[in-house]
Amino acid sequence: MSVRIEPVPLTAPGLAGAYVDDYPRVGAFYLADAPNDLDSYREVAERIRAAYPASRWEALSHFVPALEGRPRERLGALIEGRGLFVATGQQAGLFVSPLYTLYKAFTAQRMSQQLEEHLEVPVMPLFSTASEDHDWAEVSHAHVIDLDNRLRRLSVQAPHAAEEGGPTPSVERILLGEDVEHALDSLAQATPDSEFKAGILEPLRDAYRPGRGLAEAFEAALGHLLRRYAFLLVRTAHLYVKRENRELLWSEWEQRAESEARLLERSQAISQAGFDPQVGVATGATNLFLEGKLGRDRVLYEGDTGRLRRSAEVLRGEDLRSILHSTPERLSPGALLRPVAEARAFPVVAHVVGPGEIAYLAQSQVLFALHEVPAPVVVPRAAFRMIEPKVARVLDKYGIRPDELAGDATRAINRLLDQRTPPELQESLARLRSDVAAALDRVEAAALGFDPGAQSLLGSGQRAIHSSIDGLESRLQARLREKGQIVRGQLEKAAVNLYPGGKPQERMLSPYPFLVRYGEGLLDEIYQKVVTPLD
């Protein structure tokens, strides 16, 4: 494999950074213990088995008929052995973007293997596609680096009304339009011809086709990439998840004031510890969303009465209860309640997450406690940087570390070029001028000693010599500028590959251009480099 896959630290500011680098400082915000301690997982496994009846595992048989091969065998063993899941997830997005979606999945797979060995029970990776979010702008696009080393944004439009104030349905309900074909064509044009191209892009076209839901397309494409790793892939809007969480969502409504009080108290504690809470908590707002007249809408409350934030539709408790039993797909948890709902529907021993999720899970822990759902161990995902040969050559040629191109690329490159301007050149030219001036003074003194009339000749000669030095300096500076422009262009190409848009590669780029270049073997190469807290 010619691409260089570099594990990098999962860096993050604030609370998430402290969790990764200094767990004791923030450990009190989490119900499960440190992710590098095997006893943390044993304790959560015991809580799960004590909290859930055998019927919780039997209910998982719902998924067996839809699975084949290893996933079906693995889930069957998990049901029979009352096993556990290592869960992770991501918003549904265009073309399985961004790269860290795969890094989450591979960390969950690696953790599953480790925990199955250590806990001696079946453990399976679970990938939850967050399909109930309603911010279309977050998921309707993917970024790639094209053949000219330019960052390109590929996007699709939602077929629903997009005017200001119009309905905002959840992503689960949005179907892809004909323009997805154009986005796929643009992806094909942005990637080189290779022996792998057809085999990589044809399944992607089959997944993302007009008339199919974006969330379903995301799950299908990701499932194809992960087919050898025996995952259970489930969308958060899946009917099984909705049925299993009816009582949880009803309990959240019944305990809305207590839920709000606990979240406000936790946010205050996080602030007092010197961190910013990841998710703002508003008074009078529940952790529930309902599909109403204007799409997915947050449920607010005042006393015993509920109201949708945007449409102002009024709800009574009995209305919500009826919806939960007749059309449970209309009601969904907010970001802070979603991990509780996942752990309520599946026996989750560990949750593989990124920095933002680490931070908001510190708040979600009070909801796990409120609803008496065992909280999984929070596991930071693996992080990588892929350095292609064209980028590696530039870095190696100029002796530059990838991190030196982070942030504002122009500023970083200017700094690097300034550092590369040889200071000894300016020093040598200044010394040359000084030495020449001193030598000319000696010549002038000697010449005027025997011929006072030589002054004019000496003056013109001195000017010619100084002009020659000026010309030499000018030509050298022009050469440096020319070389600097070449270096700048090469560094700019390296920067856009490593930090597209000034952000880490893993947070911006779709995996498909890499897969077209290097084939699906790249996935195995990445997986082999995954390191977990238990390694």
mmCIF file of all heavy atoms in Angstrom, residues 483-499:
data_model
loop_
_atom_site.group_PDB
_atom_site.id
_atom_site.type_symbol
_atom_site.label_atom_id
_atom_site.label_comp_id
_atom_site.label_asym_id
_atom_site.label_seq_id
_atom_site.Cartn_x
_atom_site.Cartn_y
_atom_site.Cartn_z
ATOM 1 N N LYS A 483 11.881 30.448 -6.861
ATOM 2 C CA LYS A 483 11.926 29.162 -6.175
ATOM 3 C C LYS A 483 10.888 29.107 -5.069
ATOM 4 O O LYS A 483 10.255 28.067 -4.832
ATOM 5 C CB LYS A 483 13.327 28.938 -5.597
ATOM 6 C CG LYS A 483 13.539 27.527 -5.059
ATOM 7 C CD LYS A 483 14.983 27.323 -4.637
ATOM 8 C CE LYS A 483 15.198 25.892 -4.131
ATOM 9 N NZ LYS A 483 16.588 25.678 -3.695
ATOM 10 N N GLY A 484 10.671 30.251 -4.395
ATOM 11 C CA GLY A 484 9.670 30.313 -3.341
ATOM 12 C C GLY A 484 8.269 30.059 -3.864
ATOM 13 O O GLY A 484 7.455 29.410 -3.203
ATOM 14 N N GLN A 485 7.967 30.559 -5.072
ATOM 15 C CA GLN A 485 6.655 30.325 -5.656
ATOM 16 C C GLN A 485 6.453 28.853 -5.979
ATOM 17 O O GLN A 485 5.359 28.315 -5.805
ATOM 18 C CB GLN A 485 6.492 31.161 -6.928
ATOM 19 C CG GLN A 485 6.270 32.647 -6.670
ATOM 20 C CD GLN A 485 5.048 32.887 -5.803
ATOM 21 O OE1 GLN A 485 5.150 33.231 -4.618
ATOM 22 N NE2 GLN A 485 3.881 32.684 -6.389
ATOM 23 N N ILE A 486 7.512 28.211 -6.441
ATOM 24 C CA ILE A 486 7.428 26.768 -6.709
ATOM 25 C C ILE A 486 7.172 26.018 -5.414
ATOM 26 O O ILE A 486 6.298 25.149 -5.330
ATOM 27 C CB ILE A 486 8.714 26.270 -7.391
ATOM 28 C CG1 ILE A 486 8.861 26.909 -8.779
ATOM 29 C CG2 ILE A 486 8.707 24.746 -7.490
ATOM 30 C CD1 ILE A 486 10.180 26.629 -9.446
ATOM 31 N N VAL A 487 7.954 26.387 -4.381
ATOM 32 C CA VAL A 487 7.783 25.735 -3.078
ATOM 33 C C VAL A 487 6.385 26.020 -2.531
ATOM 34 O O VAL A 487 5.710 25.119 -2.009
ATOM 35 C CB VAL A 487 8.858 26.224 -2.084
ATOM 36 C CG1 VAL A 487 8.604 25.637 -0.691
ATOM 37 C CG2 VAL A 487 10.250 25.844 -2.573
ATOM 38 N N ARG A 488 5.934 27.279 -2.671
ATOM 39 C CA ARG A 488 4.607 27.635 -2.169
ATOM 40 C C ARG A 488 3.525 26.785 -2.830
ATOM 41 O O ARG A 488 2.628 26.262 -2.164
ATOM 42 C CB ARG A 488 4.335 29.118 -2.410
ATOM 43 C CG ARG A 488 2.937 29.576 -1.948
ATOM 44 C CD ARG A 488 2.714 31.048 -2.239
ATOM 45 N NE ARG A 488 3.614 31.869 -1.467
ATOM 46 C CZ ARG A 488 3.420 32.216 -0.196
ATOM 47 N NH1 ARG A 488 2.327 31.788 0.435
ATOM 48 N NH2 ARG A 488 4.277 32.966 0.434
ATOM 49 N N GLY A 489 3.607 26.649 -4.146
ATOM 50 C CA GLY A 489 2.608 25.854 -4.850
ATOM 51 C C GLY A 489 2.593 24.410 -4.382
ATOM 52 O O GLY A 489 1.523 23.814 -4.195
ATOM 53 N N GLN A 490 3.775 23.847 -4.168
ATOM 54 C CA GLN A 490 3.852 22.464 -3.713
ATOM 55 C C GLN A 490 3.303 22.329 -2.287
ATOM 56 O O GLN A 490 2.597 21.365 -1.972
ATOM 57 C CB GLN A 490 5.293 21.976 -3.787
ATOM 58 C CG GLN A 490 5.805 21.848 -5.220
ATOM 59 C CD GLN A 490 7.287 21.509 -5.291
ATOM 60 O OE1 GLN A 490 8.036 21.813 -4.365
ATOM 61 N NE2 GLN A 490 7.696 20.901 -6.391
ATOM 62 N N LEU A 491 3.626 23.310 -1.425
ATOM 63 C CA LEU A 491 3.131 23.260 -0.052
ATOM 64 C C LEU A 491 1.619 23.473 0.010
ATOM 65 O O LEU A 491 0.932 22.880 0.843
ATOM 66 C CB LEU A 491 3.842 24.309 0.808
ATOM 67 C CG LEU A 491 5.334 24.083 1.059
ATOM 68 C CD1 LEU A 491 5.914 25.205 1.897
ATOM 69 C CD2 LEU A 491 5.569 22.734 1.753
ATOM 70 N N GLU A 492 1.099 24.320 -0.882
ATOM 71 C CA GLU A 492 -0.343 24.534 -0.914
ATOM 72 C C GLU A 492 -1.073 23.247 -1.299
ATOM 73 O O GLU A 492 -2.131 22.935 -0.740
ATOM 74 C CB GLU A 492 -0.685 25.655 -1.899
ATOM 75 C CG GLU A 492 -0.332 27.044 -1.371
ATOM 76 C CD GLU A 492 -0.542 28.129 -2.406
ATOM 77 O OE1 GLU A 492 -0.709 27.775 -3.607
ATOM 78 O OE2 GLU A 492 -0.524 29.316 -2.034
ATOM 79 N N LYS A 493 -0.523 22.504 -2.248
ATOM 80 C CA LYS A 493 -1.131 21.233 -2.629
ATOM 81 C C LYS A 493 -1.074 20.232 -1.472
ATOM 82 O O LYS A 493 -2.029 19.487 -1.233
ATOM 83 C CB LYS A 493 -0.428 20.663 -3.857
ATOM 84 C CG LYS A 493 -0.707 21.453 -5.133
ATOM 85 C CD LYS A 493 0.049 20.882 -6.323
ATOM 86 C CE LYS A 493 -0.228 21.688 -7.591
ATOM 87 N NZ LYS A 493 0.520 21.167 -8.759
ATOM 88 N N ALA A 494 0.052 20.218 -0.760
ATOM 89 C CA ALA A 494 0.154 19.319 0.392
ATOM 90 C C ALA A 494 -0.840 19.726 1.469
ATOM 91 O O ALA A 494 -1.506 18.875 2.080
ATOM 92 C CB ALA A 494 1.578 19.338 0.940
ATOM 93 N N ALA A 495 -0.972 21.034 1.698
ATOM 94 C CA ALA A 495 -1.853 21.528 2.753
ATOM 95 C C ALA A 495 -3.310 21.192 2.465
ATOM 96 O O ALA A 495 -4.057 20.800 3.371
ATOM 97 C CB ALA A 495 -1.677 23.033 2.917
ATOM 98 N N VAL A 496 -3.740 21.336 1.211
ATOM 99 C CA VAL A 496 -5.144 21.079 0.903
ATOM 100 C C VAL A 496 -5.478 19.601 1.037
ATOM 101 O O VAL A 496 -6.626 19.230 1.305
ATOM 102 C CB VAL A 496 -5.508 21.595 -0.507
ATOM 103 C CG1 VAL A 496 -5.007 20.653 -1.601
ATOM 104 C CG2 VAL A 496 -7.015 21.806 -0.640
ATOM 105 N N ASN A 497 -4.497 18.736 0.875
ATOM 106 C CA ASN A 497 -4.713 17.305 1.079
ATOM 107 C C ASN A 497 -4.728 16.924 2.554
ATOM 108 O O ASN A 497 -5.468 16.017 2.946
ATOM 109 C CB ASN A 497 -3.630 16.499 0.357
ATOM 110 C CG ASN A 497 -3.899 16.343 -1.128
ATOM 111 O OD1 ASN A 497 -4.558 15.406 -1.553
ATOM 112 N ND2 ASN A 497 -3.405 17.288 -1.925
ATOM 113 N N LEU A 498 -3.914 17.589 3.354
ATOM 114 C CA LEU A 498 -3.806 17.248 4.772
ATOM 115 C C LEU A 498 -4.783 18.025 5.643
ATOM 116 O O LEU A 498 -5.323 17.492 6.616
ATOM 117 C CB LEU A 498 -2.379 17.499 5.265
ATOM 118 C CG LEU A 498 -1.297 16.635 4.632
ATOM 119 C CD1 LEU A 498 0.085 17.111 5.082
ATOM 120 C CD2 LEU A 498 -1.493 15.170 4.996
ATOM 121 N N TYR A 499 -5.007 19.281 5.296
ATOM 122 C CA TYR A 499 -5.893 20.148 6.079
ATOM 123 C C TYR A 499 -6.836 20.907 5.140
ATOM 124 O O TYR A 499 -6.772 22.131 5.031
ATOM 125 C CB TYR A 499 -5.076 21.122 6.936
ATOM 126 C CG TYR A 499 -4.296 20.434 8.024
ATOM 127 C CD1 TYR A 499 -2.971 20.072 7.830
ATOM 128 C CD2 TYR A 499 -4.893 20.118 9.243
ATOM 129 C CE1 TYR A 499 -2.254 19.422 8.824
ATOM 130 C CE2 TYR A 499 -4.185 19.461 10.234
ATOM 131 C CZ TYR A 499 -2.869 19.119 10.015
ATOM 132 O OH TYR A 499 -2.166 18.475 11.010
#
